[in-house]
C-alpha cells in the first residue's frame, strides 16, 4: 500500500490500521465459517449415526428372532413330531420366553406344528396370516453369514398389534415354513433413549407409516414429532421437514428390512442453534474487537498526535492576529511532538528578534529618507529663493528665463511638500498640486494682460515620481503659450474620464498656432505614462490621458 496517497498523518495511520485489520477480519470470518460448517457437518453425521444405531439394534433383534425361529423349526423338523404333541412342547417353550406369543411350523410333508400362549391367536387366524405374509416380498439378510430370506412385519390380529417373523425354506428337505408372532414390547429396550435424549425421538415404522415402536421424552405417547410427508427419502438418510405439530425439524431414516420396515429419528434444533451462536460469536466477537481497536486507535491518534499538531497549526495561523502566540507545551505531550513545538517556538522567537531588528532598521531608513526629502525640499526652496533674488537684477528674456526656471523648481518643491505633508511618503492629490502650480504660473510667468485659470474635477492621486513630470508638462505648455502670445488667457482642465483614468487638457481663449515642443517633452509624457488624446489645434493646446489607481 502506498501511504503517500493519503495527505494527512491521521489518514496514513488509519490506512495502515485498515491494511492490518482487514486481512485479520477476513481470516477470522473464514475460520468462523469453516468452524460452523465443520460443526454442522458433525451434527448431521451424529444424527445420521443415531439413526444407523437404532437401525442396527432393530436388525439385531429381528435376526435374533429369525435365528431362534429357524433353530426351533429345524429341531422340530428333525424330530419329525407334529400335531398336538408338538404344540404342547412348543407352548411350554413359549411360556418360558416372555413376549413370544405364537409359533407355526410347517414341515416338508405338510404337517403343521402350532402353539400359542394367547387365546386370541387361533390356529386358523395364524394360518390365514401366514398365507397373507407368504405373498409379500422377502427381506434378505446382508451379512457374510447368509440367513434365509424372511418377512418382518407388524400386523393387527386378535385385536392387538403383533410382530411377525416369517421364513420360507426353499432348499431344506425337512422344514418348509416357520412363523413367529411376538409382542411389540420386546422392542422396548431396543428403542431406549437413555436419560439425556437432547430432543431425539425415534420410531420403527412399517408399511403405510404405521408406528410399531416409538420413544419420545418427556411425553412417550406424543407422535406430533413425526414428519407430515407419507414418504421418507430413505436413499438420502437425512432431511429437514415440517412435523405433524407444524414445526421444522431434522429427520434421519434408515431401512431396517426391505422393503417397508425402517427407523425414523427426529432431532431438535438446539445443536444447530448452538452452532449458529458459536458461529456468530466466532465471527462477530473478533470483528467487534477489531472495530473497537480501530476506534481506540483513532482516539489515541487524535488525542496524542493530531490534537497537538492542530495546536501547532492553530498557533501558526494565529500569528497574523496574535503576534505573541506560542505553541502549547504540555507535560503529557509525546516527546517528538514536544520537540517540534519547542523548535517552532524557538523559530518564532528568532523571527521576532529579526523582525524587531528589521523594523528598527526600517524606521531608521524611513527617518533618513524623510530627512533626505526634507533636505531636498529645503534645498529646492533655497534654490527657488536664490533664483527669485537673482531675477530682480535682470530684465526681458533673461528675467523670463529665470522665472521659468523658478516655476520648475517650485514644481519640485511643491511635489515634495505635498508628498511629505503627513511626515510619510504618500501619493499626491492631482487637483491640489495642479492648483498650486497654476498659482505659481500666475505669480511668476504671466504678464498683467494675461490670465491663467484652472478647472479641476478629480480626486485622483499620483505618486511623486509621476506628479513631478506632470507639473513640468503643464508649466512647459503654459510657458510657451504665455511667452509667445500677449494678452492670452489659459485654462488648465483636469477631469476624470472613468474610475481609473483622468484627462489633463490646456485651452486658450483664442486660436494658437502650434509650436514644436522641446525634445524633453516626449520624455515627460513617457514618465507620466500618459497618452496624448488630442493634438494641439485651434484653441486646444493638447490633452493627455493618464491611468491611475483610485
Amino acid at each position: 500500500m502506498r501511504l503517500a496517497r493519503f495527505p494527512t498523518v491521521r489518514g496514513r495511520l488509519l490506512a495502515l490500521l485498515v491494511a492490518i485489520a482487514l486481512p485479520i477480519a477476513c481470516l477470522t470470518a473464514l475460520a468462523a465459517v469453516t468452524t460452523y460448517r465443520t460443526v454442522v457437518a458433525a451434527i448431521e453425521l451424529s444424527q445420521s449415526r443415531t439413526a444407523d444405531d437404532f437401525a442396527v439394534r432393530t436388525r439385531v433383534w429381528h435376526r435374533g428372532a429369525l435365528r431362534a425361529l429357524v433353530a426351533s423349526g429345524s429341531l422340530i423338523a428333525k424330530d419329525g413330531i407334529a400335531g398336538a404333541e408338538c404344540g404342547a412342547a412348543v407352548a411350554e417353550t413359549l411360556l418360558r420366553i416372555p413376549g413370544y406369543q405364537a409359533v407355526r411350523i410347517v414341515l416338508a410333508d405338510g404337517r403343521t406344528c402350532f402353539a400359542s400362549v394367547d387365546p386370541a391367536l387361533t390356529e386358523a387366524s395364524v394360518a390365514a396370516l401366514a398365507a397373507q405374509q407368504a405373498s409379500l416380498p422377502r427381506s434378505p439378510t446382508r451379512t457374510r453369514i447368509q440367513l434365509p430370506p424372511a418377512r418382518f412385519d407388524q400386523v393387527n390380529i386378535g385385536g392387538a398389534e403383533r410382530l411377525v417373523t416369517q421364513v420360507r425354506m426353499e432348499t431344506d428337505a425337512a422344514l418348509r415354513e416357520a412363523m413367529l408372532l411376538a409382542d411389540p414390547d420386546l422392542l422396548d429396550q431396543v428403542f431406549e433413549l437413555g436419560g439425556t435424549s437432547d430432543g431425539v425421538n425415534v420410531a420403527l415404522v412399517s408399511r403405510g407409516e404405521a408406528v410399531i415402536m416409538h420413544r419420545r421424552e418427556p411425553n412417550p405417547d406424543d407422535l406430533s414429532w413425526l414428519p407430515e410427508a407419507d414418504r421418507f427419502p430413505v436413499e438420502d438418510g437425512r432431511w429437514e421437514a415440517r412435523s405433524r405439530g407444524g414445526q421444522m425439524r431434522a429427520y434421519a431414516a434408515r431401512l431396517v428390512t426391505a422393503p417397508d420396515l425402517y427407523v425414523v429419528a427426529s432431532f431438535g434444533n438446539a445443536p444447530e442453534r448452538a452452532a449458529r451462536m458459536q458461529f456468530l460469536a466466532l465471527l462477530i466477537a473478533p470483528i467487534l474487537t477489531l472495530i473497537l481497536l480501530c476506534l481506540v486507535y483513532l482516539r489515541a491518534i487524535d488525542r496524542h498526535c493530531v490534537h497537538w499538531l492542530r495546536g501547532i497549526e492553530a498557533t501558526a495561523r494565529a500569528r497574523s492576529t496574535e503576534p505573541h502566540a506560542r505553541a502549547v507545551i504540555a507535560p503529557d505531550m509525546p516527546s517528538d511532538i514536544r520537540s517540534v513545538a519547542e523548535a517552532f517556538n524557538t523559530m518564532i522567537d528568532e523571527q521576532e528578534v529579526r523582525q524587531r531588528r528589521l523594523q528598527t532598521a526600517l524606521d531608521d531608513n524611513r527617518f533618513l529618507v524623510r530627512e533626505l526629502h526634507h533636505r531636498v525640499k529645503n534645498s529646492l526652496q533655497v534654490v527657488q529663493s536664490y533664483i527669485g533674488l537673482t531675477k530682480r537684477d535682470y530684465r526681458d528674456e533673461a528675467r523670463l528665463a529665470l522665472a521659468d526656471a523658478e516655476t520648475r523648481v517650485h514644481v519640485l518643491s511643491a511635489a515634495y511638500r505635498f508628498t511629505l505633508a503627513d511626515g510619510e511618503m504618500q501619493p499626491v492629490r492631482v487637483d491640489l498640486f495642479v492648483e498650486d502650480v497654476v498659482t505659481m504660473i500666475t505669480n511668476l510667468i504671466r504678464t498683467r494682460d494675461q490670465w491663467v485659470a484652472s478647472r479641476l474635477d478629480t480626486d485622483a492621486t499620483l505618486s511623486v515620481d509621476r506628479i513631478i513630470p506632470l507639473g513640468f508638462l503643464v508649466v512647459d505648455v503654459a510657458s510657451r503659450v504665455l511667452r509667445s502670445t500677449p494678452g492670452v488667457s489659459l485654462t488648465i482642465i483636469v477631469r476624470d474620464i472613468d474610475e481609473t483614468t483622468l484627462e489633463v487638457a490646456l485651452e486658450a481663449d483664442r486660436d494658437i498656432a502650434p509650436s514644436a515642443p522641446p525634445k524633453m517633452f516626449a520624455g515627460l509624457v513617457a514618465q507620466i505614462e500618459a497618452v496624448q488624446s488630442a493634438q494641439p489645434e485651434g484653441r486646444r493646446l493638447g490633452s493627455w490621458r493618464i491611468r491611475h489607481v483610485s
Side-chain angles (χ1 to χ4, degrees), residues 309-338:
L309 293 178
R310 287 177 178 171
I312 297 175
E313 178 189 6
T315 302
R317 296 185 183 278
R319 290 276 300 156
S320 59
T321 56
E322 300 179 10
H324 300 291
R326 294 293 186 274
V328 178
I329 298 177
D332 56 342
M333 288 180 68
S335 59
D336 47 358
I337 298 181
R338 182 188 297 111

Side-chain angles (χ1 to χ4, degrees), residues 273-284:
R273 288 201 305 269
R276 284 194 293 270
M277 293 300 297
Q278 182 182 9
F279 167 71
L280 293 176
L282 291 176
L283 180 63
I284 296 177

Side-chain angles (χ1 to χ4, degrees), residues 438-439 441-442 446 450-454 478 482 488-492:
V438 169
T439 301
I441 292 173
T442 301
R446 77 174 182 90
Q450 294 174 332
W451 187 258
V452 180
S454 62
L482 291 175
V488 70
S489 295
L490 293 180
T491 303
I492 300 172

Side-chain angles (χ1 to χ4, degrees), residues 61-332:
W61 185 90
H62 278 292
R63 289 168 186 168
L66 177 59
R67 287 189 178 94
L69 181 60
V70 171
S72 60
S74 299
L75 183 61
I76 292 173
K78 182 178 180 182
D79 293 340
I81 61 175
E85 181 182 1
C86 176
V90 174
E92 185 177 353
T93 302
L94 291 177
L95 290 175
R96 291 186 175 91
I97 304 175
Y100 281 17
Q101 297 175 337
V103 173
R104 181 177 182 271
I105 299 174
V106 180
L107 303 181
D109 56 7
R111 292 180 299 162
T112 63
C113 177
F114 174 77
S116 174
V117 295
D118 188 347
L121 299 175
T122 63
E123 185 173 2
S125 61
V126 173
L129 177 62
Q132 179 185 2
Q133 292 292 317
S135 62
L136 297 176
R138 304 286 96 184
S139 298
T141 57
R142 299 176 181 177
T143 61
R144 296 179 61 184
I145 302 175
Q146 293 293 330
L147 293 175
R151 173 68 188 177
F152 300 100
D153 202 351
Q154 181 189 27
V155 296
N156 190 306
I157 183 173
E161 297 293 329
R162 321 285 177 168
L163 293 177
V164 177
T165 303
Q166 184 190 46
V167 62
R168 294 178 66 87
M169 310 299 292
E170 303 294 342
T171 60
D172 196 320
L175 182 63
R176 179 189 300 175
E177 178 184 330
M179 185 172 70
L180 171 65
L181 294 166
D183 191 340
D185 290 341
L186 288 176
L187 292 177
D188 185 71
Q189 293 183 353
V190 174
F191 288 88
E192 179 64 35
L193 299 178
T196 56
S197 61
D198 295 331
V200 179
N201 308 312
V202 184
L204 180 64
V205 182
S206 67
R207 182 180 61 253
E209 280 67 50
V211 179
I212 299 173
M213 179 59 62
H214 70 92
R215 282 290 184 272
R216 184 182 189 276
E217 293 183 2
N219 187 2
D221 297 329
D222 186 6
L223 296 177
S224 63
W225 57 269
L226 287 171
E228 288 181 340
D230 293 336
R231 297 181 180 272
F232 302 147
V234 180
E235 294 181 358
D236 184 10
R238 186 188 180 280
W239 76 101
E240 291 184 0
R242 190 174 299 278
S243 68
R244 296 178 182 178
Q247 298 177 350
M248 293 299 296
R249 297 180 65 88
Y251 294 93
R254 290 295 182 270
L255 185 65
V256 177
T257 58
D260 51 12
L261 189 64
Y262 48 89
V263 168
V264 176
S266 173
F267 308 92
N269 55 5
E272 286 83 356
R273 288 201 305 269
R276 284 194 293 270
M277 293 300 297
Q278 182 182 9
F279 167 71
L280 293 176
L282 291 176
L283 180 63
I284 296 177
I287 293 178
L288 289 179
T289 302
L290 290 175
I291 294 175
L292 180 61
L293 178 63
C294 291
L295 295 177
V296 173
Y297 190 65
L298 289 177
R299 175 66 176 172
I301 292 174
D302 289 337
R303 182 175 180 181
H304 299 289
C305 181
V306 177
H307 169 70
W308 302 113
L309 293 178
R310 287 177 178 171
I312 297 175
E313 178 189 6
T315 302
R317 296 185 183 278
R319 290 276 300 156
S320 59
T321 56
E322 300 179 10
H324 300 291
R326 294 293 186 274
V328 178
I329 298 177
D332 56 342

Side-chain angles (χ1 to χ4, degrees), residues 427-446:
V428 180
R429 284 185 56 176
V430 176
D431 54 348
L432 298 179
F433 177 76
V434 173
E435 181 66 29
D436 188 90
V437 171
V438 169
T439 301
M440 187 56 60
I441 292 173
T442 301
N443 294 333
L444 298 179
I445 298 177
R446 77 174 182 90

Side-chain angles (χ1 to χ4, degrees), residues 501-534:
T501 306
L502 63 87
E503 184 180 56
V504 178
L506 285 84
E507 292 183 356
D509 61 347
R510 67 193 68 176
D511 292 341
I512 304 296
S515 61
K519 294 181 179 181
M520 64 173 296
F521 193 82
L524 294 176
V525 174
Q527 191 173 358
I528 304 172
E529 300 177 5
V531 176
Q532 189 166 7
S533 58

Side-chain angles (χ1 to χ4, degrees), residues 313-425:
E313 178 189 6
T315 302
R317 296 185 183 278
R319 290 276 300 156
S320 59
T321 56
E322 300 179 10
H324 300 291
R326 294 293 186 274
V328 178
I329 298 177
D332 56 342
M333 288 180 68
S335 59
D336 47 358
I337 298 181
R338 182 188 297 111
S339 178
V340 173
E342 292 174 350
F344 177 78
N345 290 340
T346 302
M347 180 186 67
I348 292 177
D349 294 338
E350 294 176 352
Q351 182 183 11
E352 288 185 350
V353 171
R354 288 194 301 270
Q355 286 179 346
R356 284 195 295 269
R357 291 176 179 174
L358 290 174
Q359 186 64 41
T360 301
L362 181 61
D363 292 341
D364 293 342
N365 186 45
R366 287 177 179 174
F367 176 76
L368 292 176
V369 170
R370 191 163 52 247
E371 288 298 318
L372 178 62
H373 284 293
H374 278 300
R375 296 295 183 270
V376 170
K377 183 183 70 172
N378 294 336
S379 299
L380 291 174
Q381 290 177 349
V382 170
V383 172
Q384 182 181 358
S385 299
Y386 181 77
I387 294 174
L389 293 174
T390 304
K391 184 179 63 175
R392 297 177 182 179
D393 299 331
Y394 294 90
R395 295 289 184 271
D396 302 327
E397 289 297 328
R399 184 182 182 87
L400 291 176
L402 289 174
D404 188 52
E406 184 180 2
T407 304
R408 282 173 168 76
V409 172
H410 177 79
V411 168
L412 293 171
S413 178
Y416 280 104
R417 185 176 71 254
F418 281 114
T419 194
L420 294 173
D422 296 328
E424 296 288 341
M425 295 288 292

